[in-house]
C-alpha cells in the first residue's frame, strides 16, 4: 500500500534498530574512494563525495540513478568501504554488556540452559504489562551472567571485559590485559544466538550486535550536506562532507599500508586513526577522541551536533520553530486602555491578517476591506475566490472596486487585524502560564505595543526597552480558546500562590493611598475629574462636608465602585512603625474596614490593592464576585487612583531625603559610640579575652559580633532618619505604602549605607593583608573593612566608593548565575511534568494512565481558587453567615 | 544480595518517618482498582525488597495501602503494587 493513496493510516509506534550492513550496501548507489571533490575543470570527481550518483542537484541535471531532475530526485546514499571494521561509538555500552554476558569461546549466554528458558518466560510476561520492570529485569540477568566465570555450555574460562569509552575494549587475563580490536569484538558477538540475545534485551531481528561494528559506512546524499556557492564564486562544502573526506583519506592510507605489507604497528596506528575519524563523524564531542576541525580552528558540526542542544534539530526546529502571523516590538505603557487590551501599531495591523469567510451577513463589511486594499487600514491583503480556488494578491490588483463588487458568499477575505480581534501576547522568559495571555486588539498610531501597566506583574515586564511577541490565532476554535482560557482577566488569580498576580504597583498604590487618606478632601470639580477618569456614570453621593463648600472624601469615591454587599477587614501596609495598631478602632486609619460595600475606615495601599498580595481586597473580590468584577475594578477605580495622583503630583527631590543638622549629629554620635564598641571587641580579641561563639573560631566570632554591631548601628541611624521625616514627604509615602522602596532605601539615601559585604562577610579582598592602600595592614576597624558611614545624599568618601562597588558587583554576578541555573532547572522540571493531567476523579495521571498522585496535591485543592493555599477560609464563612443571620433578625 | 549482618526488625514500623502500611485483601485490592478505574500496572510500585514489605510478607502483585501525614491534606492515602525487584 502506498503512502500516497487516499487511505488514512494510523501510526501505532516507531521501532528503532541498528542499520544492517546488507541494507547499507543495498542503499548505496556509489562507493566513495577519492577524497578530492572536484576535478581541475570544476566537474565532480567520479567516486568522490559529489559523484553524480548522489542525486541531481544542478538545474537541468538528470540523475544517473533514478533519471529524475533535481526537483524530483530524492537523492541517493553512497558508501565508503572501510579497509578494516570500526566500532560505532554509541553502541560501545551495548557491546560491552553483550561481551560480558556471553561466552568468549562458544558465544552462548553465561546461564544454564533450563534457567535461560525460565528467565525468558518471565521476561516475556513482564514485557507485556510492565515494560519498565522488564528493563530492570534484563539488567539483573546481565549481571547474573557477567558474574559467572565459567561457561555452563562449553566449560570455557571467562575473563572480565574492561571498556574505555567510547570504543576500546580490554580482556583482563591473569597475566595482563589484552586489547580486543573491532575484528575480535565482532567475531565474538557474531557467535551469539538469537534466543540468548532476546534475554539480553536485544531484538535480534532488528539489531544483531555485529551490525554495531561497521565495514561499510553510509554516505548521505547531497541534500543532507548541500554545498553553497559564495558570492566570490568559491564553493564551500558542508561540514559533513569535510568529515567524510577525512574518513576517505584515512581509509585510503590504511588501504595502502595493507597492500604494501607495512609493519603491523603502522597498520594498527592507521586503523585506530580511522576509528577515531569515524567516531568524530558521528559525534565530534566524544570524550577521549580527536576533534575534527576546520584548519585547526573551528570544530566541525558532525551528525550528533546537528541534533543536539538548543539550536539542534530537536529543540531548534521541531519543538520550536519560526512562525508567521506574529509580531515583535518594544512595549510602552498605556494606563487608559483596558487590562484585557493590547495596543497594536497600525503598521503591524496591516501585516497581520485574519481570514474571514464571506457570508450574506458580512459581505458589505468584507467589500469595504477589499476596497481599502492592502495599504489602507482596515483593509485586506488577499482574496480567495470560492469559484475557482484562486488566491488574489491585492497588492497587484489595480481595480479594487471591481473585485469588491464581485465578492461572493463563500469567498475568503484575508483582512487586516482590527479592534476586537483576539491575539496572544507573550514576554520571554516564559516561566509560567501567565507569560502568554490573550488580549483584545486595539489598533493605535506609532510603533510600539501598548500595555496596561497593571498587567506588568504576570509578564514581569517593565518599559525600559522590553520587547514582546504577538501571535494571531486564525481559526475560530483557536480564537474561542484564547478568549475563554487565555484572556487576561481569567488570569488575575494565579495557581502559583493562590492570590491575585495582577494588581496595583507603584503609582497605583501611592494614588490609592493619597485618594483614601483621611486628610484628602475633594471639591466637586476634583470629584468630577476622578470619577470621569474612572468612567463612573452614576449619581454623586452626598458630600461629607457641606459648608463652607461641598467636599467629598476619597473613601466615598472608592465605595462607589465596590460591590454592594462586600465585607472586608484587614491591615494596611502603613500599619507599622509608629502607626502600628492591632485593633479595629484604629486612630491612624491603618486598619481597613469595608462593610456593605462602603470603605468605612483605613487607607488603601499595597496590602489592599497590590499585585502579588494574597488575601487582599482585590483577591477577595476576584474570588467572591468573579474575575470579571475584579477586572472591571482594575479598568475603572484604578484609573481614578492614577487621576487622583496626577492632581496632587508625586515626585522626589533632594530635600525629601534631607534630615536636620541635629539628626546628623545624633547619627555621628552613634557612629562614634559603635566605633568604640567595635574597637573594644578588637582589643578583647587581641588580648584573647573575647567570648567565643560555640562552634566558631575566635576570628569568626569577632567578625560575627562586629557585623552584628554595625547592622544595629545602621538600623538605629535609619530610625533616626525616618523619625525626622514629614509623613507626607513623597519618598516616605512611597516607602510606607509599599509603592516603591523601603526603610533600607531611605536609610541609605538619608543616613548611612552601612556595612558592605561580599559573600556575607566584611570585605577583605584587595591588597596584601588590607583592602585598600589607604589603610595599614591587618586593620580590622570598620572603615577599613567595608563599613560605609556616608549616604547617597551627601556622597561617599573615596574608599567607601570602592567598598560599595565591591558589594554591588556581587549582586550582579549572583543574578547572572542564578538566572542561568534556575532556567536549566525549570527546563528539566517542565520536561518531566509536562504530560501530567488532573483527571475528573481528582487523580494525577501521566500520558500512559499511570497514577502519579491519588489526590491532586493530596488535598484536591485548586490553588488558583484557594485563599493563599487554603481551600476554605473558615473566618470568612463565619463572617458572612453571621452577617446574614444578623440581617434576618 | 543485601548484607546479612544488618537484620530488619519490627522496630522500624514504629519509626515516625515510616508511614502505616497495610496489605489489602483480594476483595479490597479489586475494589481499589475499580475505584480508580486502573489496571494493576498503572499503580505506583513498591519493591519486594522494601524493608516494610519484607516485614509484612508482601508478595508480588499485592496492593499495599499506605497512610501518611501530609502537609497539605492532613492524612493522605496511597496505594502501591508490590513488584518482584
Ligand atoms: Mg526591562
Ligand atoms: Zn536520483
Ligand atoms: Zn561457552
Ligand atoms: Zn491605630
Amino acid at each position: 500500500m502506498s503512502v500516497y493513496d487516499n487511505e488514512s493510516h494510523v501510526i501505532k509506534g516507531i521501532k528503532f534498530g541498528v542499520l544492517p550492513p546488507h541494507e547499507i550496501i543495498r542503499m548505496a548507489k556509489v562507493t566513495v574512494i577519492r577524497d578530492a571533490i572536484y576535478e581541475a575543470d570544476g566537474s565532480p570527481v567520479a567516486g568522490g563525495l559529489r559523484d553524480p550518483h548522489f542525486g541531481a542537484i544542478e538545474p537541468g541535471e538528470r540523475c544517473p540513478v533514478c533519471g529524475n531532475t533535481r526537483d524530483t530526485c530524492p537523492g541517493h546514499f553512497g558508501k565508503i568501504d572501510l579497509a578494516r571494521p570500526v566500532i560505532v561509538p554509541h553502541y560501545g555500552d551495548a557491546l560491552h554488556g553483550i561481551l560480558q554476558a556471553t561466552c568468549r569461546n562458544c558465544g552462548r549466554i553465561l546461564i544454564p540452559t533450563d534457567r535461560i528458558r525460565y528467565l525468558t518466560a518471565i521476561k516475556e510476561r513482564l514485557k507485556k504489562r510492565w515494560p519498565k520492570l522488564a528493563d530492570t529485569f534484563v539488567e539483573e540477568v546481565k549481571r547474573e551472567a557477567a558474574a559467572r566465570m565459567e561457561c555452563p555450555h562449553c566449560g570455557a574460562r571467562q575473563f572480565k571485559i574492561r571498556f574505555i569509552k567510547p570504543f576500546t575494549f580490554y580482556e583482563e587475563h591473569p597475566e595482563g590485559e589484552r586489547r580486543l580490536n573491532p575484528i575480535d569484538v565482532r567475531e565474538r558477538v557474531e557467535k551469539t544466538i538469537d534466543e540468548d540475545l532476546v534475554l539480553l534485551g536485544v531484538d535480534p531481528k532488528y539489531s544483531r550486535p555485529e551490525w554495531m561494528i561497521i565495514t561499510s559506512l553510509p554516505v548521505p546524499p547531497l541534500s543532507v550536506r548541500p554545498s553553497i556557492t559564495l558570492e566570490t564564486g568559491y564553493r564551500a562544502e558542508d561540514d559533513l562532507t569535510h568529515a567524510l573526506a577525512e574518513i576517505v583519506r584515512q581509509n585510503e592510507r590504511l588501504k595502502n599500508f595493507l597492500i604494501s605489507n607495512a609493519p603491523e604497528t603502522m597498520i594498527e596506528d592507521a586503523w585506530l586513526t580511522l576509528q577515531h575519524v569515524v567516531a568524530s563523524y558521528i559525534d565530534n564531542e566524544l570524550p577521549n577522541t580527536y576533534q575534527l576541525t576546520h584548519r585547526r580552528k573551528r570544530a566541525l558540526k558532525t551528525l550528533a551536533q546537528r541534533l543536539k542542544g538548543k539550536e539542534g534539530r530537536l529543540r531548534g526546529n521541531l519543538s520550536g520553530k519560526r512562525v508567521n502571523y506574529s509580531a515583535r516590538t518594544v512595549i510602552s505603557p498605556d494606563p487608559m486602555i483596558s487590562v484585557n487590551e493590547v495596543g497594536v501599531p497600525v503598521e503591524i495591523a496591516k501585516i497581520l491578517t485574519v481570514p474571514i469567510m464571506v457570508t450574506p451577513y458580512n459581505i458589505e463589511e468584507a467589500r469595504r476591506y477589499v476596497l481599502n486594499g492592502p495599504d489602507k487600514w482596515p483593509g485586506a491583503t488577499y482574496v480567495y475566490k470560492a469559484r475557482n480556488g484562486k488566491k488574489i494578491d491585492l497588492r497587484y490588483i489595480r481595480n479594487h472596486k471591481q473585485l469588491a463588487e464581485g465578492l461572493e458568499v463563500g469567498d475568503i477575505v484575508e483582512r487586516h487585524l482590527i479592534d476586537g480581534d483576539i491575539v496572544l501576547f507573550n514576554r520571554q522568559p516564559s516561566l509560567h502560564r501567565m507569560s502568554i495571555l490573550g488580549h483584545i486588539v486595539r489598533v493605535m498610531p506609532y510603533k510600539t505595543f501598548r500595555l496596561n501597566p497593571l498587567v506588568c506583574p504576570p509578564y514581569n515586564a517593565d518599559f525600559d526597552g522590553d520587547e514582546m511577541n504577538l501571535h494571531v490565532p486564525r481559526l475560530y476554535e483557536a480564537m474561542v480558546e484564547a478568549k475563554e482560557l487565555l484572556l487576561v482577566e481569567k488570569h488575575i488569580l494565579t495557581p502559583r500562590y493562590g492570590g491575585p498576580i495582577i494588581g496595583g504597583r507603584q503609582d497605583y498604590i501611592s494614588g490609592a493611598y493619597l485618594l483614601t487618606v483621611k486628610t484628602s478632601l475633594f471639591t466637586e470639580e476634583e470629584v468630577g475629574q476622578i470619577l470621569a477618569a474612572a468612567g463612573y456614570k452614576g449619581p454623586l453621593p452626598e458630600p461629607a462636608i457641606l459648608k463652607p463648600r461641598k467636599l467629598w472624601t476619597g473613601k466615598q469615591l472608592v465605595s462607589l465602585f465596590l460591590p454592594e454587599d462586600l465585607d472586608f477587614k484587614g491591615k494596611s501596609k502603613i500599619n507599622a512603625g509608629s502607626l502600628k495598631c492591632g485593633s479595629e478602632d484604629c486612630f491612624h486609619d491603618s486598619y481597613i474596614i469595608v462593610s456593605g460595600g462602603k470603605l468605612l475606615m483605613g487607607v488603601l495601599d499595597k496590602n489592599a490593592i497590590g499585585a502579588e498580595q494574597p488575601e487582599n481586597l482585590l483577591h477577595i473580590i476576584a474570588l467572591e464576585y468573579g474575575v470579571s468584577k475584579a477586572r472591571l475594578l482594575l479598568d475603572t477605580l484604578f484609573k481614578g487612583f492614577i487621576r487622583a495622583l496626577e492632581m496632587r503630583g508625586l515626585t522626589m527631590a533632594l530635600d525629601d531625603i534631607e534630615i536636620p543638622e541635629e539628626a546628623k549629629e545624633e547619627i555621628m554620635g552613634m557612629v562614634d559610640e559603635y566605633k568604640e564598641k567595635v574597637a573594644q571587641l578588637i582589643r578583647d580579641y587581641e588580648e584573647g579575652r573575647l567570648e567565643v561563639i560555640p562552634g566558631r573560631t575566635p576570628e569568626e566570632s569577632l567578625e560575627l559580633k562586629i557585623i552584628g554591631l554595625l547592622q544595629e548601628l545602621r538600623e538605629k541611624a535609619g530610625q533616626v532618619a525616618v523619625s525626622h521625616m514629614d509623613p507626607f514627604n513623597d519618598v516616605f509615602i512611597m516607602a510606607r505604602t509599599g509603592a516603591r522602596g523601603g526603610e533600607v532605601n531611605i536609610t541609605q539615601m538619608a543616613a548611612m549605607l552601612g556595612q558592605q559585604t561580599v559573600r556575607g562577610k566584611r570585605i577583605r579582598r584587595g591588597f596584601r593583608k588590607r583592602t585598600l592602600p589607604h589603610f595599614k595592614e591587618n586593620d580590622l576597624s570598620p572603615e577599613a573593612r567595608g563599613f560605609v558611614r556616608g549616604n547617597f545624599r551627601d556622597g561617599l568618601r573615596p574608599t567607601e566608593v570602592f567598598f560599595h562597588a565591591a558589594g554591588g558587583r556581587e549582586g550582579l554576578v549572583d543574578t547572572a548565575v542564578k538566572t542561568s541555573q534556575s532556567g536549566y532547572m525549570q527546563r528539566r522540571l517542565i520536561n518531566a511534568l509536562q504530560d501530567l493531567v488532573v483527571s475528573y476523579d481528582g487523580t494525577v495521571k501521566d500520558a500512559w494512565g499511570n497514577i502519579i498522585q491519588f489526590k491532586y496535591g493530596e488535598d484536591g485543592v485548586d490553588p488558583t481558587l484557594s485563599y493563599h493555599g487554603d481551600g476554605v477560609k473558615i473566618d470568612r464563612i463565619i463572617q458572612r453567615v453571621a452577617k446574614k443571620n444578623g440581617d434576618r433578625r | 544480595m543485601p548484607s546479612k549482618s544488618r537484620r530488619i526488625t519490627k522496630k522500624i514500623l514504629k519509626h515516625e518517618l515510616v508511614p502505616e502500611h497495610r496489605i489489602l485483601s483480594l476483595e479490597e485490592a479489586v475494589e481499589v482498582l475499580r475505584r480508580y478505574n486502573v489496571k494493576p500496572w498503572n499503580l505506583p510500585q513498591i519493591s519486594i525488597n522494601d524493608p516494610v514489605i519484607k516485614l509484612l510478607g508482601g508478595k508480588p502483585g499485592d496492593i499495599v495501602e499506605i497512610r501518611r501525614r501530609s502537609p497539605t491534606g492532613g492524612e493522605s492515602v496511597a496505594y502501591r503494587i508490590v513488584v518482584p525487584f
Side-chain angles (χ1 to χ4, degrees):
Chain A
M1 197 188 299
S2 154
V3 186
Y4 301 105
D5 59 28
N6 248 349
E7 264 177 76
S8 60
H9 298 262
V10 177
I11 297 172
K12 244 166 78 188
I14 301 173
K15 179 127 191 158
F16 288 95
V18 180
L19 190 62
H22 55 263
E23 196 70 21
I24 297 176
I25 291 163
R26 202 182 56 80
M27 284 188 334
K29 303 299 176 202
V30 54
T31 302
V32 181
I33 44 163
R34 296 181 59 190
D35 63 318
I37 296 167
Y38 298 103
E39 303 284 5
D41 64 355
S43 62
V45 173
L49 286 164
R50 283 211 53 180
D51 188 289
H53 290 82
F54 280 113
I57 20 154
E58 303 294 344
E61 185 187 354
R62 278 219 173 263
C63 174
V65 177
C66 62
N68 288 306
T69 56
R70 70 163 186 175
D71 299 321
T72 41
C73 169
H76 310 282
F77 270 84
K79 69 180 183 355
I80 298 173
D81 287 322
L82 302 177
R84 287 272 173 96
V86 296
I87 291 171
V88 178
H90 296 81
Y91 294 136
D93 278 320
L95 284 170
H96 184 222
I98 292 169
L99 285 176
Q100 280 193 309
T102 54
C103 172
R104 62 191 299 269
N105 176 43
C106 70
R108 292 299 307 274
I109 187 168
L110 296 169
I111 286 174
T113 318
D114 43 348
R115 192 160 162 77
I116 294 180
R117 219 172 296 127
Y118 170 68
L119 293 175
T120 312
I122 294 183
K123 199 214 142 193
E124 286 310 310
R125 282 222 320 271
L126 282 176
K127 230 177 117 178
K128 264 184 231 145
R129 298 271 103 121
W130 312 80
K132 243 199 221 133
L133 277 184
D135 291 348
T136 45
F137 181 73
V138 164
E139 289 307 310
E140 288 287 321
V141 172
K142 275 191 196 163
R143 213 165 296 139
E144 181 187 329
R148 197 162 281 129
M149 298 317 277
E150 196 189 282
C151 175
H153 305 280
C154 72
R157 191 170 164 206
Q158 307 296 318
F159 303 98
K160 265 197 86 177
I161 309 272
R162 195 159 69 92
F163 171 51
I164 302 169
K165 278 194 172 172
F167 44 65
T168 323
F169 292 98
Y170 289 102
E171 196 170 41
E172 293 179 340
H173 290 263
E175 62 274 14
E177 282 188 336
R178 211 179 289 163
R179 195 180 107 97
L180 299 178
N181 66 35
I183 293 180
D184 301 330
V185 174
R186 182 156 70 181
E187 276 173 0
R188 288 207 184 172
V189 295
E190 259 172 354
K191 286 188 285 191
T192 56
I193 63 168
D194 286 357
E195 292 81 80
D196 291 354
L197 286 173
V198 169
L199 191 48
L200 292 173
V202 178
D203 183 347
K205 195 173 164 213
Y206 296 98
S207 341
R208 283 290 313 181
E210 61 268 22
W211 299 345
M212 299 175 181
I213 298 142
I214 49 170
T215 30
S216 258
L217 179 75
V219 178
L222 289 161
S223 45
V224 175
R225 43 186 184 92
S227 66
I228 37 170
T229 319
L230 302 170
E231 320 79 81
T232 49
Y234 281 103
R235 273 247 146 104
E237 296 299 323
D238 190 270
D239 276 7
L240 278 189
T241 308
H242 285 296
L244 286 164
E246 186 60 25
I247 293 178
V248 175
R249 261 192 296 280
Q250 297 305 330
N251 192 38
E252 293 305 305
R253 195 169 85 103
L254 177 57
K255 251 190 224 167
N256 283 331
F257 285 164
L258 289 170
I259 292 165
S260 59
N261 268 322
E264 196 56 35
T265 48
M266 279 175 77
I267 293 178
E268 284 290 324
D269 196 59
W271 187 5
L272 191 62
T273 312
L274 182 66
Q275 169 76 75
H276 271 107
V277 181
V278 171
S280 301
Y281 164 68
I282 294 165
D283 185 348
N284 209 7
E285 282 166 8
L286 283 174
N288 305 324
T289 58
Y290 307 112
Q291 275 203 330
L292 289 172
T293 55
H294 241 308
R295 286 190 226 104
R296 294 283 141 92
K297 278 162 96 186
R298 186 176 62 80
L300 293 182
K301 266 200 162 59
T302 56
L303 290 175
Q305 278 62 52
R306 286 193 173 190
L307 311 179
K308 272 184 187 165
K310 185 133 132 211
E311 319 263 85
R313 206 91 319 145
L314 300 184
R315 275 177 74 186
N317 302 111
L318 293 166
S319 295
K321 30 168 81 79
R322 293 176 175 271
V323 293
N324 289 130
Y325 309 105
S326 63
R328 177 183 176 96
T329 184
V330 173
I331 52 166
S332 37
D334 187 341
M336 299 317 288
I337 65 176
S338 164
V339 290
N340 275 343
E341 289 178 315
V342 60
V344 179
V346 194
E347 261 177 280
I348 287 178
K350 286 197 288 195
I351 295 167
L352 300 177
T353 55
V354 179
I356 54 165
M357 172 78 71
V358 177
T359 65
Y361 315 103
N362 70 2
I363 189 159
E364 283 312 315
E365 183 190 350
R367 284 202 170 111
R368 279 200 301 279
Y369 297 138
V370 173
L371 203 58
N372 276 340
D375 300 320
K376 188 177 168 206
W377 185 85
T381 55
Y382 293 94
V383 172
Y384 299 87
K385 293 298 288 181
R387 184 179 291 275
N388 52 15
K390 278 215 175 105
K391 175 176 169 182
I392 302 166
D393 188 337
L394 297 191
R395 280 174 302 181
Y396 307 119
I397 291 286
R398 210 159 290 165
N399 198 342
H400 289 160
K401 199 168 171 192
Q402 191 190 345
L403 187 65
E405 278 161 7
L407 216 56
E408 295 161 293
V409 171
D411 290 351
I412 293 172
V413 175
E414 194 79 46
R415 60 138 237 255
H416 289 157
L417 211 57
I418 56 171
D419 289 5
D421 283 338
I422 184 139
V423 291
L424 306 188
F425 206 39
N426 158 245
R427 179 180 178 276
Q428 283 113 349
S430 310
L431 295 177
H432 55 193
R433 68 184 202 195
M434 289 81 74
S435 291
I436 301 179
L437 296 175
H439 288 252
I440 305 290
V441 167
R442 186 108 168 236
V443 178
M444 295 179 148
Y446 311 119
K447 303 204 171 185
T448 57
F449 285 136
R450 250 52 61 79
L451 185 63
N452 189 308
L454 287 166
V455 218
C456 286
Y459 292 119
N460 192 19
D462 49 39
F463 302 104
D464 60 4
D466 291 23
E467 292 184 54
M468 286 181 70
N469 309 319
L470 183 142
H471 298 265
V472 185
R474 290 165 51 79
L475 300 176
Y476 288 106
E477 288 96 318
M479 292 179 199
V480 169
E481 204 167 298
K483 232 176 213 154
E484 296 300 319
L485 300 175
L486 298 179
L487 196 66
V488 172
E489 67 177 43
K490 317 241 168 186
H491 292 266
I492 292 175
L493 299 177
T494 167
R496 246 175 56 198
Y497 43 79
I501 194 169
I502 295 175
R505 265 187 178 178
Q506 307 205 20
D507 278 1
Y508 285 99
I509 291 169
S510 315
Y513 172 78
L514 290 169
L515 179 68
T516 53
V517 75
K518 258 185 193 171
T519 49
S520 293
L521 292 170
F522 300 92
T523 64
E524 189 160 12
E525 194 197 333
E526 288 168 332
V527 168
Q529 291 255 354
I530 293 169
L531 292 183
Y536 178 74
K537 294 211 176 74
L540 281 188
E542 280 299 304
I545 291 168
L546 288 167
K547 289 281 173 190
R549 54 194 173 140
K550 290 185 193 169
L551 291 172
W552 283 262
T553 68
K555 292 191 175 79
Q556 284 182 289
L557 305 186
V558 170
S559 303
L560 293 176
F561 296 90
L562 299 178
E564 269 174 22
D565 55 346
L566 177 70
D567 293 309
F568 177 80
K569 277 175 191 168
K571 284 180 184 173
S572 292
K573 173 86 181 170
I574 62 160
N575 193 334
S578 57
L579 299 183
K580 204 171 178 86
C581 190
S583 77
E584 291 181 16
D585 337 287
C586 177
F587 185 71
H588 315 285
D589 213 18
S590 63
Y591 198 95
I592 306 163
I593 298 179
V594 178
S595 181
K598 299 269 177 269
L599 177 59
L600 301 180
M601 250 176 59
V603 294
L604 298 187
D605 57 18
K606 193 179 178 189
N607 280 10
I609 59 142
E612 302 178 292
Q613 299 292 313
E615 297 185 51
N616 67 11
L617 190 64
L618 206 60
H619 186 193
I620 299 294
I621 290 173
L623 273 182
E624 295 177 1
Y625 297 87
V627 286
S628 48
K629 177 70 199 172
R631 196 225 82 226
L632 193 67
L633 219 57
L634 294 174
D635 279 342
T636 53
L637 179 57
F638 279 58
K639 286 178 181 150
F641 293 153
I642 294 293
R643 192 76 197 91
L645 188 78
E646 284 169 350
M647 283 170 11
R648 176 191 182 272
L650 189 85
T651 182
M652 66 182 281
L654 271 183
D655 30 315
D656 285 326
I657 45 172
E658 165 100 82
I659 52 172
E661 208 51 50
E662 65 266 24
K664 279 186 186 165
E665 271 158 29
E666 196 184 336
I667 291 172
M668 290 296 241
M670 278 163 32
V671 170
D672 290 339
E673 178 196 332
Y674 274 81
K675 264 172 82 172
E676 179 44 39
K677 280 188 187 171
V678 171
Q680 184 59 46
L681 277 179
I682 294 172
R683 278 198 298 277
D684 286 351
Y685 162 74
E686 281 165 351
E687 292 159 17
R689 283 187 283 115
L690 186 81
E691 198 186 318
V692 177
I693 300 168
R696 300 277 183 179
T697 63
E699 290 74 28
E700 286 170 347
S701 308
L702 175 67
E703 282 300 305
L704 283 172
K705 287 185 180 185
I706 293 176
I707 289 179
L709 272 180
L710 294 176
Q711 192 165 335
E712 203 178 295
L713 170 59
R714 204 199 53 197
E715 279 161 18
K716 281 194 174 173
Q719 281 159 18
V720 171
V722 166
S723 69
H724 283 87
M725 268 184 185
D726 170 11
F728 285 91
N729 165 340
D730 289 2
V731 176
F732 200 30
I733 287 178
M734 288 191 269
R736 278 163 49 221
T737 57
R740 199 74 224 240
E743 203 163 298
V744 176
N745 302 94
I746 291 183
T747 307
Q748 291 199 334
M749 288 188 285
M752 71 168 68
L753 244 57
Q755 179 66 50
Q756 302 297 303
T757 57
V758 170
R759 296 200 183 167
K761 299 208 168 68
R762 297 203 294 162
I763 292 171
R764 53 182 313 139
R765 51 185 68 208
F767 296 83
R768 180 157 56 94
K769 295 180 180 171
R770 55 182 171 172
T771 50
L772 289 170
H774 309 67
F775 305 107
K776 296 229 168 74
E777 291 182 351
N778 297 316
D779 188 347
L780 289 178
S781 65
E783 57 274 19
R785 288 304 209 83
F787 181 75
V788 180
R789 74 167 147 151
N791 58 52
F792 287 134
R793 203 202 104 94
D794 298 327
L796 308 184
R797 272 157 275 269
T799 56
E800 294 177 339
V801 171
F802 281 93
F803 292 134
H804 184 228
R809 169 65 109 287
E810 192 192 20
L812 294 182
V813 171
D814 269 16
T815 42
V817 171
K818 260 183 219 145
T819 44
S820 72
Q821 286 187 347
S822 58
Y824 184 49
M825 194 178 82
Q826 165 97 4
R827 208 187 129 62
R828 303 189 43 151
L829 269 174
I830 291 201
N831 280 335
L833 301 179
Q834 62 180 357
D835 60 77
L836 301 194
V837 162
V838 183
S839 329
Y840 285 104
D841 65 357
T843 55
V844 181
K845 292 183 183 159
D846 68 10
W848 294 271
N850 299 318
I851 293 189
I852 305 298
Q853 221 170 25
F854 285 89
K855 200 170 190 191
Y856 172 65
E858 298 190 336
D859 57 3
V861 169
D862 174 0
T864 315
L865 300 176
S866 70
Y867 292 87
H868 203 186
D870 297 330
V872 185
K873 192 165 171 156
I874 200 77
D875 297 357
R876 254 196 104 66
I877 295 178
I878 293 172
Q879 230 178 71
R880 304 198 103 194
V881 172
K883 178 154 186 210
K884 238 187 198 160
N885 290 343
D887 287 349
R888 208 176 293 150
R889 248 177 263 139
Chain B
M1 285 282 113
S3 72
K4 280 174 188 151
S5 56
R6 272 210 251 155
R7 258 178 44 248
I8 301 163
T9 63
K10 290 247 173 202
K11 220 165 62 182
I12 65 165
L13 294 179
K14 299 226 167 63
H15 194 278
E16 67 162 344
L17 293 179
V18 178
E20 184 195 327
H21 290 60
R22 189 170 69 86
I23 294 176
L24 299 184
S25 68
L26 187 62
E27 295 76 49
E28 288 174 308
V30 169
E31 154 63 15
V32 166
L33 294 179
R34 206 191 52 72
R35 185 178 347 138
Y36 289 104
N37 189 26
V38 287
K39 301 288 182 205
W41 51 88
N42 293 126
L43 289 176
Q45 297 163 8
I46 189 165
S47 170
I48 197 165
N49 296 318
D50 184 282
V52 178
I53 297 305
K54 274 185 175 169
L55 283 174
L56 297 183
K59 306 176 300 303
D62 283 348
I63 293 178
V64 238
E65 179 191 79
I66 303 168
R67 297 179 164 271
R68 57 185 162 214
R69 283 194 312 267
S70 149
T72 49
E75 188 186 57
S76 80
V77 188
Y79 300 93
R80 283 169 180 266
I81 184 154
V82 180
V83 292
F85 28 78

